[in-house]
Amino acid sequence: MASENLDAKIEQLLNVEKQMWLAGEIAGTRKAAIDILQLCFEAEAWKTLNDQIVVLSKRRGQLKQAVTAMVQQAVTAMVQQAMEYIDKTPDIETRIELIKTLISVSAGKIYVEIERARLVKKLAKIKEEQGLIAEAADLMQEIAVETFGAMAKTEKIAFILEQVRLCLDRQDYVRAQILSRKISPRVFDIDASKEKKKPKEGDNMVEEAPADIPSLLELKRIYYELMIRYYSHNNDYLEICRCYKAIYEIPYVKENPAEFIPILKKISWCLVLAPHDPLQSSLLNSTLEDKNLFEIPNFKLLLKQLVTMEVIQWTALWETYKTEFENEIVSGKFLSEKAAEDLKQRIIEHNILVVSKYYARITLTRLSQLLCLSLEEAEKHLSDMVVIKALVAMIDRPMGIVCFQTSKYSNDILNSWAANLEKLLDLVEKSCHQIHKGTMVHKAALKV
């Protein structure tokens, strides 16, 4: 009986909707469509609701405003008033079916693209909760929100970051990198208050972002945390360091010791683990100049050792920082089990660079003693550094001597000798001039 009453009411409203459409009444047509949806919601007739959504969207080339209102009403019921209607939904399958219906209805309609994107995100969330990560990621990747002119900037960024997160969860690092490049890091540094402009006539109005979308600074932190996850899979410590640096520069992080101390520790470890190059050296020096580093003096000392041209004793360093380092590995944020090997490798590389500064030639035996390694290990590490062009060295294996000077061509040697001779003659001439000047001033006669 209730079903018959519902059908009769729907039929009556469909007739009203037809009359309004023929009369060209947009408001009346929209109201009739929304009333039909509301009736189905109140009667909990979920299948009928799905059918009516499809019927109304295809009914005589329905007016755009009516379809927009219909989908927005459904989205409001499913998202903004979720708590009220989720309880009424008999099971998750019914809920998924309703979302799928709304997605299919809004497909290809540019005037409801934002609502469709929100529906897809909702469906992807359900799939993720069911453990279907790959399916959720595929759903999200179908939507290219960067082309949506009317969507708020923060909502676009949040949507793309969700796409990146799902790709990282399914370990699709190539696609995660492609998606992350859709967001320019400079967008997080734009002042939102200065960016707002009065829309010109004919421009698309940008919608306000939903209340659950994080602020731009929070999105900045989420973005860099996801990038840390991406760079961690191939142990790119320098890029991880730059990401932590960007998080550290966020005002509410830099002003709170509870926030910045753990991040400064991670920055320090990344700088120690990163291979030596100009960018690493620049970041290392800028970090040492940071006043907040005084809050963690043991890490300041660690970084100071790296910029000091002195050999670091690996055993002493490991005993001092072993607990801190293992705690970072256990946290699983960015350090893997391989990190301990990388740390030892970086200390050895630092020590070899220090030796190359003080010695032009050194025996392999003495080099291995300074590095606390066997002869074979010392030779291997030295050879690896020469291969990657971190330094210039030649090993005379029969003699067991390492030469840190490059061999010069005969022309270069002659040019160097000629330049030195020219400097010597200049000095002799200047000396003669000074002697002659002194003789003239004091009127001293030279003795032949």
Side-chain angles (χ1 to χ4, degrees):
M1 187 69 180
S3 176
E4 290 177 4
N5 287 339
L6 178 63
D7 291 340
K9 289 178 181 177
I10 289 172
E11 190 63 35
Q12 185 180 358
L13 284 170
L14 285 172
N15 290 331
V16 172
E17 184 267 344
K18 178 181 177 181
Q19 292 171 7
M20 293 295 171
W21 180 81
L22 291 171
E25 289 286 340
I26 294 172
T29 308
R30 182 170 60 240
K31 186 177 183 304
I34 290 173
D35 287 345
I36 292 169
L37 291 181
Q38 196 64 37
L39 272 176
C40 296
F41 266 117
E42 290 171 358
E44 297 184 14
W46 308 106
K47 188 176 184 307
T48 307
L49 174 64
N50 292 338
D51 294 340
Q52 290 304 318
I53 289 170
V54 175
V55 168
L56 286 166
S57 66
K58 294 179 179 179
R59 194 173 168 86
R60 295 183 306 277
Q62 189 59 269
L63 294 172
K64 287 184 179 181
Q65 291 88 339
V67 177
T68 305
M70 177 181 65
V71 176
Q72 285 177 342
Q73 173 71 9
V75 172
T76 302
M78 292 299 298
V79 180
Q80 296 179 358
Q81 301 178 13
M83 292 304 297
E84 179 183 347
Y85 292 108
I86 286 171
D87 295 337
K88 293 181 181 180
T89 308
D91 48 47
I92 195 70
E93 285 76 16
T94 306
R95 188 179 176 195
I96 291 171
E97 191 61 34
L98 178 57
I99 296 175
K100 284 183 176 179
T101 303
L102 292 168
I103 290 171
S104 65
V105 164
S106 56
K109 297 179 175 66
I110 196 170
Y111 45 87
V112 285
E113 60 187 3
I114 296 176
E115 285 76 15
R116 186 170 189 270
R118 291 170 182 168
L119 285 166
V120 169
K121 189 176 179 182
K122 193 77 176 175
L123 182 59
K125 186 69 176 174
I126 294 170
K127 295 292 182 184
E128 186 184 3
E129 289 170 358
Q130 293 175 341
L132 305 171
I133 303 294
E135 195 173 331
D138 291 337
L139 277 169
M140 290 290 284
Q141 286 164 31
E142 292 175 3
I143 309 298
V145 292
E146 63 272 14
T147 63
F148 295 180
M151 182 179 275
K153 181 173 69 175
T154 51
E155 190 175 0
K156 282 185 192 179
I157 295 169
F159 196 95
I160 295 170
L161 290 177
E162 189 69 10
Q163 291 175 325
V164 174
R165 184 186 66 81
L166 287 170
C167 286
L168 290 172
D169 288 345
R170 71 186 292 192
Q171 298 184 347
D172 187 352
Y173 295 106
V174 174
R175 199 175 294 275
Q177 184 189 29
I178 293 168
L179 289 168
S180 68
R181 286 178 177 174
K182 293 181 179 180
I183 301 173
S184 171
R186 289 178 295 179
V187 78
F188 300 113
D189 301 324
I190 296 171
D191 190 348
S193 60
K194 294 180 181 178
E195 194 189 22
K196 290 183 178 179
K197 296 178 181 178
K198 291 182 179 179
K200 297 178 182 178
E201 191 175 348
D203 285 356
N204 290 328
M205 294 295 292
V206 177
E207 290 190 11
E208 289 291 330
D212 60 338
I213 299 296
S215 66
L216 201 59
L217 285 177
E218 289 168 343
L219 288 171
K220 179 180 181 178
R221 183 164 190 167
I222 294 167
Y223 169 77
Y224 283 110
E225 284 173 351
L226 289 174
M227 295 313 296
I228 288 165
R229 283 182 60 189
Y230 169 73
Y231 290 121
S232 295
H233 91 279
N234 59 356
N235 296 323
D236 192 342
Y237 298 115
L238 195 58
E239 289 299 331
I240 294 171
C241 176
R242 293 176 69 184
C243 291
Y244 276 121
K245 272 276 191 182
I247 294 173
Y248 175 69
E249 293 300 328
I250 298 173
Y252 71 83
V253 173
K254 201 167 187 177
E255 293 167 4
N256 184 2
E259 289 270 3
F260 72 69
I261 286 176
I263 291 174
L264 268 179
K265 287 181 179 180
K266 290 176 173 61
I267 290 171
S268 300
W269 282 125
C270 287
L271 287 170
V272 175
L273 289 164
H276 180 77
D277 66 12
L279 180 58
Q280 183 261 2
S281 180
S282 174
L283 287 170
L284 183 58
N285 286 302
S286 65
T287 304
L288 274 170
E289 291 171 4
D290 195 325
K291 294 179 180 178
N292 288 334
L293 201 62
F294 285 102
E295 300 285 339
I296 41 175
N298 53 336
F299 281 89
K300 185 175 177 64
L301 179 62
L302 175 64
L303 296 183
K304 195 74 177 174
Q305 284 180 290
L306 285 180
V307 296
T308 306
M309 282 291 110
E310 293 180 6
V311 172
I312 299 172
Q313 291 297 325
W314 163 249
T315 50
L317 182 135
W318 182 243
E319 286 175 7
T320 306
Y321 295 98
K322 182 180 179 181
T323 306
E324 285 275 3
F325 194 77
E326 287 178 346
N327 288 340
E328 287 290 350
I329 293 176
V330 170
S331 68
K333 290 288 184 181
F334 70 100
L335 294 182
S336 61
E337 295 296 330
K338 185 176 173 289
E341 297 175 18
D342 291 337
L343 178 61
K344 187 174 182 180
Q345 174 76 12
R346 298 296 170 258
I347 298 303
I348 292 169
E349 288 176 1
H350 168 81
N351 290 342
I352 291 173
L353 287 171
V354 170
V355 171
S356 70
K357 295 289 184 185
Y358 289 104
Y359 288 87
R361 298 175 68 192
I362 187 172
T363 62
L364 268 173
T365 306
R366 178 58 179 154
L367 180 64
S368 62
Q369 289 173 355
L370 289 171
L371 299 178
C372 302
L373 298 171
S374 65
L375 280 171
E376 292 77 12
E377 287 177 325
E379 185 177 342
K380 178 185 175 298
H381 287 294
L382 180 61
S383 301
D384 290 341
M385 290 187 71
V386 172
V387 169
I388 62 174
K389 298 181 180 179
L391 56 79
V392 177
M394 289 188 298
I395 304 174
D396 185 347
R397 298 189 75 181
M399 296 293 292
I401 295 174
V402 180
C403 180
F404 291 108
Q405 291 181 335
T406 56
S407 58
K408 296 180 179 179
Y409 293 106
S410 55
N411 287 339
D412 294 332
I413 295 171
L414 283 171
N415 290 336
S416 176
W417 178 81
N420 290 335
L421 190 60
E422 188 177 350
K423 286 180 183 177
L424 176 62
L425 293 172
D426 286 341
L427 287 171
V428 170
E429 187 179 352
K430 285 180 181 177
S431 300
C432 290
H433 176 72
Q434 292 296 330
I435 293 169
H436 183 65
K437 182 181 176 182
T439 303
M440 294 297 291
V441 169
H442 300 289
K443 295 182 178 179
L446 290 173
K447 294 181 181 179
V448 180

